[in-house]
Short mmCIF file of all heavy atoms in Angstrom, two decimals:
data_model
loop_
_atom_site.label_atom_id
_atom_site.label_comp_id
_atom_site.label_asym_id
_atom_site.label_seq_id
_atom_site.Cartn_x
_atom_site.Cartn_y
_atom_site.Cartn_z
N ASN B 751 -14.23 -5.52 -10.97
CA ASN B 751 -14.95 -6.79 -10.98
C ASN B 751 -14.80 -7.40 -12.36
O ASN B 751 -15.44 -6.97 -13.31
CB ASN B 751 -16.42 -6.54 -10.68
CG ASN B 751 -16.61 -6.02 -9.28
OD1 ASN B 751 -16.38 -6.74 -8.31
ND2 ASN B 751 -16.99 -4.76 -9.16
N ALA B 752 -13.95 -8.37 -12.45
CA ALA B 752 -13.71 -9.01 -13.74
C ALA B 752 -14.61 -10.23 -13.85
O ALA B 752 -14.82 -10.94 -12.87
CB ALA B 752 -12.26 -9.43 -13.85
N THR B 753 -15.16 -10.46 -15.03
CA THR B 753 -15.88 -11.70 -15.27
C THR B 753 -14.85 -12.78 -15.53
O THR B 753 -14.04 -12.66 -16.45
CB THR B 753 -16.80 -11.53 -16.48
OG1 THR B 753 -17.67 -10.43 -16.22
CG2 THR B 753 -17.62 -12.77 -16.71
N VAL B 754 -14.86 -13.78 -14.70
CA VAL B 754 -13.81 -14.80 -14.76
C VAL B 754 -14.41 -16.13 -15.19
O VAL B 754 -15.47 -16.52 -14.72
CB VAL B 754 -13.16 -14.94 -13.37
CG1 VAL B 754 -12.09 -16.02 -13.39
CG2 VAL B 754 -12.57 -13.63 -12.93
N ALA B 755 -13.72 -16.78 -16.08
CA ALA B 755 -14.07 -18.16 -16.41
C ALA B 755 -12.95 -19.01 -15.84
O ALA B 755 -11.78 -18.76 -16.11
CB ALA B 755 -14.16 -18.35 -17.91
N VAL B 756 -13.33 -19.98 -15.00
CA VAL B 756 -12.30 -20.85 -14.43
C VAL B 756 -12.14 -22.04 -15.35
O VAL B 756 -12.91 -22.99 -15.31
CB VAL B 756 -12.69 -21.29 -13.01
CG1 VAL B 756 -11.59 -22.14 -12.41
CG2 VAL B 756 -12.95 -20.08 -12.15
N MET B 757 -11.20 -21.96 -16.25
CA MET B 757 -10.99 -23.04 -17.21
C MET B 757 -9.58 -22.91 -17.76
O MET B 757 -8.92 -21.90 -17.56
CB MET B 757 -12.00 -22.92 -18.37
CG MET B 757 -11.89 -21.61 -19.13
SD MET B 757 -13.09 -21.41 -20.44
CE MET B 757 -12.35 -22.38 -21.73
N SER B 758 -9.14 -23.96 -18.40
CA SER B 758 -7.82 -23.84 -19.00
C SER B 758 -7.99 -23.36 -20.43
O SER B 758 -9.01 -23.61 -21.07
CB SER B 758 -7.11 -25.18 -18.96
OG SER B 758 -7.78 -26.10 -19.78
N TYR B 759 -7.03 -22.64 -20.88
CA TYR B 759 -7.14 -22.07 -22.22
C TYR B 759 -5.74 -21.84 -22.75
O TYR B 759 -4.95 -21.12 -22.13
CB TYR B 759 -7.92 -20.74 -22.13
CG TYR B 759 -8.27 -20.12 -23.47
CD1 TYR B 759 -9.49 -20.41 -24.08
CD2 TYR B 759 -7.40 -19.26 -24.11
CE1 TYR B 759 -9.82 -19.84 -25.30
CE2 TYR B 759 -7.71 -18.70 -25.33
CZ TYR B 759 -8.93 -18.99 -25.93
OH TYR B 759 -9.27 -18.43 -27.12
N SER B 760 -5.43 -22.46 -23.84
CA SER B 760 -4.26 -22.13 -24.65
C SER B 760 -2.91 -22.57 -24.08
O SER B 760 -1.92 -22.51 -24.77
CB SER B 760 -4.16 -20.63 -24.91
OG SER B 760 -3.58 -19.98 -23.79
N GLY B 761 -2.83 -23.03 -22.86
CA GLY B 761 -1.51 -23.40 -22.35
C GLY B 761 -0.68 -22.23 -21.91
O GLY B 761 0.37 -22.40 -21.29
N TYR B 762 -1.13 -21.01 -22.20
CA TYR B 762 -0.39 -19.85 -21.70
C TYR B 762 -0.89 -19.45 -20.32
O TYR B 762 -0.72 -18.33 -19.90
CB TYR B 762 -0.52 -18.68 -22.68
CG TYR B 762 0.30 -18.89 -23.91
CD1 TYR B 762 -0.25 -19.45 -25.05
CD2 TYR B 762 1.65 -18.54 -23.94
CE1 TYR B 762 0.49 -19.67 -26.18
CE2 TYR B 762 2.41 -18.76 -25.06
CZ TYR B 762 1.83 -19.32 -26.18
OH TYR B 762 2.60 -19.54 -27.29
N ASP B 763 -1.59 -20.39 -19.68
CA ASP B 763 -2.13 -20.07 -18.37
C ASP B 763 -1.54 -20.97 -17.29
O ASP B 763 -2.08 -21.08 -16.21
CB ASP B 763 -3.66 -20.17 -18.37
CG ASP B 763 -4.13 -21.54 -18.81
OD1 ASP B 763 -3.28 -22.37 -19.18
OD2 ASP B 763 -5.35 -21.78 -18.77
N ILE B 764 -0.41 -21.61 -17.59
CA ILE B 764 0.18 -22.44 -16.55
C ILE B 764 0.85 -21.58 -15.51
O ILE B 764 1.17 -20.42 -15.75
CB ILE B 764 1.18 -23.48 -17.11
CG1 ILE B 764 2.20 -22.78 -18.00
CG2 ILE B 764 0.46 -24.58 -17.85
CD1 ILE B 764 3.41 -23.64 -18.29
N GLU B 765 1.07 -22.15 -14.34
CA GLU B 765 1.70 -21.45 -13.21
C GLU B 765 0.96 -20.16 -12.89
O GLU B 765 1.55 -19.09 -12.81
CB GLU B 765 3.18 -21.18 -13.49
CG GLU B 765 4.05 -22.42 -13.54
CD GLU B 765 4.21 -23.06 -12.18
OE1 GLU B 765 4.13 -22.34 -11.17
OE2 GLU B 765 4.36 -24.30 -12.14
N ASP B 766 -0.34 -20.26 -12.78
CA ASP B 766 -1.16 -19.13 -12.32
C ASP B 766 -1.25 -17.98 -13.31
O ASP B 766 -1.68 -16.90 -12.94
CB ASP B 766 -0.67 -18.57 -10.99
CG ASP B 766 -0.89 -19.54 -9.87
OD1 ASP B 766 -1.89 -20.26 -9.95
OD2 ASP B 766 -0.06 -19.60 -8.95
N ALA B 767 -0.77 -18.16 -14.52
CA ALA B 767 -0.90 -17.06 -15.47
C ALA B 767 -2.37 -16.86 -15.84
O ALA B 767 -3.17 -17.79 -15.77
CB ALA B 767 -0.08 -17.35 -16.72
#
Side-chain angles (χ1 to χ4, degrees):
Chain B
N751 295 292
T753 303
V754 179
V756 182
M757 60 182 280
S758 66
Y759 188 92
S760 81
Y762 287 94
D763 57 356
I764 52 165
E765 292 291 332
D766 292 326

